[in-house]
Amino acid sequence: MTITPLELLFYAGGLFILFLTPGPVWVALLARAMSGGFRSAWPLAFGVVVGDVIWPLVAILGVTWIVDQASWFMDALKWVAVAMFIAMGILLIKNADQELSENSSLTRPGMWAGFIAGLVVILGNPKAVLFYMGVLPGFFDLTKVTYLDIAAICTLSFIIPLFGNLMLAASVDRVRGLLKTPGTVRNMNIIAGWLLVGVGIIIGLS
């Protein structure tokens, strides 16, 4: 492996902060958890895992190919990662009072329906690969990664969100009350926003 345990730890921290940022997966997970509890929500979390492996893999292979054609592209992507994290953080802080919306089409009962809903949510967003193309170069030198490095990156890319999603689903009763409290949602968004800004600054300084 060419990447260090410290780099992997930093990436895991970035993934966890991103998990704390409410988005489409949160909406889908909470919609099912609130309607059918943990039993209804966990299949969705495993559906999301598919995209959490595919998108980073596509991003790594795509970036590696592009860098082979233009060596300066890796340095450019590092600053794209910095800009993305900082912009996401600022937007999250700016819209801290925005409430999560629900989608009734995500609450169909059944294990298979839950899995498909998770798959649709994560694969139905092609912007995810562009996101990873911007983020991954901020953590790793993708021109030097080996198969073991790619396996480690993809493993972290699904283990951290999966763990978080399952914990969120398991805590559905408490989460249901929390997410109905605007003040709690606002505080969570502000904290996550500043953490994202911090990650962007650290990447820029490293």
Side-chain angles (χ1 to χ4, degrees), residues 59-120:
I60 291 171
L61 297 178
V63 169
T64 302
W65 180 83
I66 292 173
V67 170
D68 284 340
Q69 312 302 314
S71 59
W72 54 266
F73 196 70
M74 182 62 70
D75 289 332
L77 282 180
K78 173 183 176 180
W79 293 106
V80 169
V82 171
M84 286 183 66
F85 271 104
I86 293 177
M88 287 172 59
I90 292 173
L91 287 173
L92 196 59
I93 294 169
K94 184 178 178 181
N95 300 297
D97 294 319
Q98 185 174 346
E99 296 181 0
L100 294 174
S101 58
E102 293 186 11
N103 185 344
S104 60
S105 66
L106 299 173
T107 60
R108 294 190 188 97
M111 185 182 300
W112 184 244
F115 180 85
I116 293 298
L119 197 61
V120 168

Side-chain angles (χ1 to χ4, degrees), residues 97-157:
D97 294 319
Q98 185 174 346
E99 296 181 0
L100 294 174
S101 58
E102 293 186 11
N103 185 344
S104 60
S105 66
L106 299 173
T107 60
R108 294 190 188 97
M111 185 182 300
W112 184 244
F115 180 85
I116 293 298
L119 197 61
V120 168
V121 167
I122 194 69
L123 293 183
N125 182 15
K127 289 184 292 184
V129 69
L130 298 177
F131 167 78
Y132 276 107
M133 285 183 72
V135 167
L136 286 172
F139 293 95
F140 311 108
D141 183 352
L142 298 183
T143 62
K144 299 178 181 179
V145 292
T146 65
Y147 289 115
L148 286 177
D149 295 328
I150 294 173
I153 292 170
C154 289
T155 299
L156 276 180
S157 295

